[in-house]
Amino acid sequence: MNLILFGPPGSGKGTQAERLREKRGLRHLSTGDLLREAVAKGTDLGRKVKDILASGALVSDDIILALMREEIVRVGKQGWLLDGFPRTVGQAAGLDAQLVELDQKIGAIVVLNVRREAVVERLSGRRTCTQCKTVFHVKINPPRVDGICDRCGGTLVQREDDRPATIEKRLDVYEAQTQPILAHYRGKVAIHEVNGELPVDEVTRFIELVLQ
Ligand code: AP5
């Protein structure tokens, strides 16, 4: 099955995607992770997008559509889980055209609903492992040893775009450019809304329920 995890920055898309990936054998395709990896490696793409990511604005639709087409082709029919894509109505239309060409379909969209205030609290405390990308929160989901990943022993860092002013900007961008995607898909693809403010395990349980 092909799925889209949808929701504002910090709604738990990455957290839930890891669980769905393990349970359902899907390939987790996160545009944010792919772009940050390109920045870390200093590739041409990384140099182009570095400042855009740090500012909280969106990378252009052309760049994102080319990147994701390659990834979707690579995964083939194994089943994918999109996280952070599509992010504009233009990207949604571009994805639709690519899927027709590749004879694939979106099985469902899962929306994680989280209020703005909760997002700010979550993102300002988020820490991410530089090696395995596991996500922690300094208060809600702290690592056993401060600054060290429980899973692989890697170093935990704060993302450059998780600073207060940039978080607010990302939320504005989400409301203006990303939320309208739901209207684009309503009536065409099954859309399941889940309360993303429940504890992590509960959110996972509800996602499994709506996907049954
Ligand atoms: P991206 O990496 O996609 O970031 P995002 O959408 O802003 O989402 P986040 O990764 O911040 O949050 P998340 O929903 O995955 O939450 P998480 O699970 O980490 O994009 C970054 C940038 O890249 C964009 O700003 C843009 O510049 C660019 N970009 C990416 N895709 C693009 C595209 N398609 N087009 C153009 N540009 C693009 O959880 C957050 C925190 O909350 C963690 O600390 C976690 O432990 C905690 N948490 C999770 N679930 C719960 C829970 N249920 N209860 C309590 N705490 C929880």
Side-chain angles (χ1 to χ4, degrees):
M1 188 186 207
N2 296 323
L3 296 174
I4 296 181
L5 262 182
F6 192 89
S11 55
K13 301 183 296 295
T15 303
Q16 297 299 329
E18 272 311 294
R19 291 163 168 236
L20 282 167
R21 180 185 66 79
E22 280 171 11
K23 276 196 183 155
R24 296 185 162 246
L26 301 174
R27 286 287 302 276
H28 175 200
L29 300 179
S30 156
T31 35
D33 286 350
L34 291 166
L35 294 169
R36 279 185 292 277
E37 199 179 303
V39 172
K41 286 186 178 155
T43 63
D44 284 351
L45 171 64
R47 280 193 294 277
K48 264 189 217 160
V49 303
K50 186 173 188 293
D51 292 344
I52 303 173
L53 259 68
S55 76
L58 294 182
V59 174
S60 76
D61 288 355
D62 288 354
I63 291 180
I64 295 291
L65 282 166
L67 177 73
M68 292 309 278
R69 187 183 189 284
E70 230 175 79
E71 293 296 321
I72 289 171
V73 168
R74 204 195 314 270
V75 173
K77 304 258 162 142
Q78 181 191 334
W80 35 255
L81 176 58
L82 301 183
D83 160 6
F85 171 77
R87 220 166 175 116
T88 63
V89 173
Q91 289 180 21
L95 172 66
D96 295 347
Q98 289 177 359
L99 294 182
V100 169
E101 183 204 330
L102 298 170
D103 190 26
Q104 296 201 35
K105 277 202 170 89
I106 301 164
I109 299 175
V110 175
V111 184
L112 299 176
N113 288 317
V114 177
R115 284 165 306 127
R116 204 174 162 112
E117 312 85 83
V119 162
V120 174
E121 158 78 17
R122 282 184 185 186
L123 291 187
S124 43
R126 172 166 62 181
R127 299 292 180 271
T128 310
C129 176
T130 47
Q131 284 178 34
C132 72
K133 311 294 174 219
T134 300
V135 168
F136 296 86
H137 188 281
V138 290
K139 287 192 201 143
I140 308 163
N141 170 30
R144 284 192 292 272
V145 179
D146 199 23
I148 304 292
C149 177
D150 290 353
R151 201 186 237 182
C152 75
T155 308
L156 302 182
V157 293
Q158 181 172 38
R159 265 171 49 177
E160 208 178 336
D161 58 350
D162 278 349
R163 302 181 198 283
T166 319
I167 294 172
E168 295 291 346
K169 164 89 189 273
R170 286 162 61 202
L171 283 163
D172 291 344
V173 168
Y174 172 79
E175 283 164 17
Q177 299 191 51
T178 307
Q179 240 169 6
I181 290 177
L182 288 180
H184 170 87
Y185 281 121
R186 221 171 277 286
K188 296 183 202 146
V189 177
I191 299 178
H192 304 289
E193 309 232 5
V194 170
N195 178 0
E197 292 197 33
L198 296 169
V200 176
D201 288 347
E202 285 289 287
V203 177
T204 310
R205 202 168 64 79
F206 275 106
I207 294 175
E208 287 297 342
L209 271 178
V210 298
L211 291 178
Q212 265 174 16

